[in-house]
Amino acid sequence: MRCLSSAALVAALLAVGATACGGAASGSQDGLTTLTVLSAASLDRVFPEMATEFSKAHPGVTVRFSFAGTDALVAQIEQGSPGDIFAGASAKYGDQLFEERFVDRPRAFATNRLVVIVPPANPAGIASPEDLSKPGIKLVVGAETVPAGIYTRKVLANLDALYGPSYSQAVLANIVSDEDNVEGVLTKVRLGEADAGFVYLTDAEAVGGAVRAVQLPSEAQAVATYPIAVIRSSAHRAAARRFESFVLGPIGRRLLADAGFGPPAAA
């Protein structure tokens, strides 16, 4: 058997665990298996760490990602885009893909919750969610079709019980932008282009002092459940199942907890 040269060996080792954004197809090259994970945008910080640890445990398998809003990922899968694993931010969409027979049965691997974020200087003086209903507040949220936007509207409806029946209507009237994913919301608030926005707790924690978080009343929260599933058209189903098991296993749980995600509800 021919041995690898030193340069080739170094290149191969560097390739293991590499991740990339974009929609590149999964495949194999030079004996390496490449998995493509179609992943919710709110996982774009923790999943690359997950891939690095996974590749340490499974030499010869690399993982790359296509990050987007969960609704966009579902559309990609339904239209036949190549991929090996779906990891979304809404159990609803995982169930939909399973019913349509595009993925194996989804398994919940994490939960998340929402917070209101404001710029560090907080020029609009937002001290509580009630302030979001004031006239002139510039609010950015996820679009109605993405999980973050769906959860946001559920929270606002829940807050009507605390702040009055017209509260959610007044807040919705202050929306100046519906974003395709939470990163869009985060960016606009960080740049001072909006007075406030709704994002996941994990996103707010990840950027530290770039934004300030305003907590929501616990009784108004909408818990986001994240499903993971192997895509049935995957050319690397065995490797994809190993990645799924890794995310659900002890190392995956630790990385998710470190990033601020909660555990899934007990079955």
Side-chain angles (χ1 to χ4, degrees):
M1 180 175 65
R2 183 173 63 88
C3 295
L4 289 174
S5 68
S6 297
L9 180 59
V10 170
L13 290 173
L14 288 174
V16 173
T19 62
C21 293
S26 57
S28 299
Q29 183 177 4
D30 297 331
L32 298 178
T33 297
T34 300
L35 295 176
T36 296
V37 180
L38 305 182
S39 176
S42 52
L43 295 165
D44 67 349
R45 295 175 179 87
V46 66
F47 259 26
E49 295 182 48
M50 194 84 69
T52 299
E53 294 301 315
F54 174 77
S55 292
K56 290 178 182 177
H58 299 85
V61 182
T62 64
V63 184
R64 59 181 62 175
F65 298 96
S66 179
F67 292 107
T70 302
D71 62 326
L73 299 176
V74 170
Q76 291 173 30
I77 293 171
E78 291 174 335
Q79 294 165 12
S81 294
D84 301 291
I85 299 151
F86 164 76
S90 170
K92 166 192 167 184
Y93 284 113
D95 292 343
Q96 176 181 323
L97 289 174
F98 177 68
E99 291 170 2
E100 294 171 343
R101 301 184 63 79
F102 284 107
V103 302
D104 293 345
R105 185 176 295 279
R107 301 173 68 185
F109 68 93
T111 55
N112 213 338
R113 56 192 177 90
L114 294 181
V115 294
V116 176
I117 56 169
V118 299
N122 193 14
I126 296 169
S128 81
E130 187 173 13
D131 294 330
L132 299 176
S133 64
K134 294 178 179 178
I137 295 293
K138 294 183 292 184
L139 180 68
V140 289
V141 299
E144 293 183 64
T145 57
V146 303
I150 295 170
Y151 297 133
T152 294
R153 287 161 177 82
K154 182 177 180 180
V155 165
L156 293 176
N158 292 342
L159 287 171
D160 279 347
L162 290 177
Y163 302 136
S166 62
Y167 168 79
S168 60
Q169 183 177 357
V171 175
L172 292 171
N174 284 334
I175 294 175
V176 295
S177 179
D178 289 294
E179 298 296 315
D180 292 335
N181 54 59
V182 289
E183 286 298 320
V185 177
L186 191 63
T187 297
K188 279 187 164 55
V189 175
R190 289 178 68 179
L191 294 177
E193 296 175 3
D195 297 318
F198 281 82
V199 300
Y200 294 118
L201 171 67
T202 53
D203 297 293
E205 290 184 346
V207 298
V211 297
R212 290 174 56 186
V214 177
Q215 299 297 322
L216 293 164
S218 58
E219 61 268 32
Q221 268 290 355
V223 177
T225 297
Y226 287 64
I228 187 169
V230 174
I231 297 173
R232 291 190 174 185
S233 61
S234 168
H236 309 289
R237 289 177 58 82
R241 284 193 293 269
R242 288 196 294 271
F243 182 80
E244 178 188 49
S245 296
F246 190 86
V247 171
L248 292 160
I251 297 177
R253 291 196 301 268
R254 174 177 59 79
L255 291 172
L256 287 162
D258 289 347
F261 291 88

